[in-house]
Amino acid sequence: MKYKRLSLIFLLAFNILFGCNKNKDNQGTELHIDVIDESDNKVPGASVTLSDNRGNFIENKIADSYGYVVFSHLPLATYKYDAVIGCKNNKNDLHFFTLDLPYKSWYLPAHISENGVLKIINNSSDSFYFEINVLNIKFSDDIPDHQTYFLYPDIGLQNLYTVIKGASGTGKDSSIQISCTDTTIINLPY
């Protein structure tokens, strides 16, 4: 009887110490996302997709009537979240985040806006410089030779300025129509 009691106590202690540990790294770690539009209104019904930093799908949820989504029991890692509803998305917003503390709730916004896809293909052996509006802010960058560049400018009529990098003279202004349903493709040189 004495050995049964000791065996039972040992078994109970063993289960408490080792058997109840179910991945403590992710218990209680949550990511809360508020989907918000350009006017700071909550956006119910938006589809929010969570993936790892390599693009592997983890989970998809639909924002509730308050534009709110919660992803629970997440392991500590870097995540990407994409929010989409109709022509609005968060492509131009911060949407990578690292969960680095266990047992914590993280609260992040997903700012969505209407934008389209612009694909600039540099078929030249020259590098190009370009400017265009993104979220009503002038955005500029370089496109190395023989590279393709994707960006997500505001929808509507946009002015795209391009010039061969390091060349003297003037560049070229082009008016392009950006829509949310098509990918606008520009091939350089014109």
Side-chain angles (χ1 to χ4, degrees), residues 27-170:
Q27 287 182 347
T29 303
E30 297 179 329
L31 179 58
H32 300 251
I33 298 174
D34 277 319
V35 183
I36 303 167
D37 69 11
E38 306 96 324
S39 302
D40 288 332
N41 296 316
K42 305 286 183 165
V43 182
S47 173
V48 181
T49 302
L50 188 68
S51 55
D52 67 18
N53 63 343
R54 290 180 295 282
N56 298 316
F57 173 83
I58 295 173
E59 190 173 1
N60 181 271
K61 292 192 174 188
I62 303 299
D64 66 13
S65 60
Y66 300 102
Y68 194 68
V69 172
V70 178
F71 296 98
S72 301
H73 305 293
L74 296 171
L76 302 181
T78 299
Y79 295 96
K80 177 181 185 242
Y81 57 96
D82 293 304
V84 176
I85 187 166
C87 290
K88 295 183 177 188
N89 61 60
N90 68 323
K91 295 278 188 198
N92 289 317
D93 188 33
L94 167 73
H95 56 282
F96 281 94
F97 186 75
T98 300
L99 297 177
D100 55 4
L101 295 173
Y103 311 108
K104 184 166 173 48
S105 294
W106 300 89
Y107 296 85
L108 299 171
H111 294 102
I112 63 173
S113 62
E114 286 188 319
N115 52 57
V117 179
L118 176 61
K119 179 179 180 180
I120 304 174
I121 304 167
N122 184 356
N123 298 303
S124 169
S125 57
D126 295 314
S127 293
F128 276 81
Y129 168 84
F130 74 91
E131 294 177 353
I132 194 166
N133 283 333
V134 175
L135 293 175
N136 295 317
I137 298 169
K138 189 168 293 269
F139 177 79
S140 61
D141 205 351
D142 296 327
I143 306 173
D145 59 291
H146 302 289
Q147 297 291 315
T148 300
Y149 197 100
F150 285 92
L151 67 152
Y152 306 92
D154 304 333
I155 62 169
L157 191 61
Q158 297 294 336
N159 184 50
L160 174 68
Y161 171 77
T162 56
V163 64
I164 295 175
K165 192 171 176 191
S168 60
T170 59

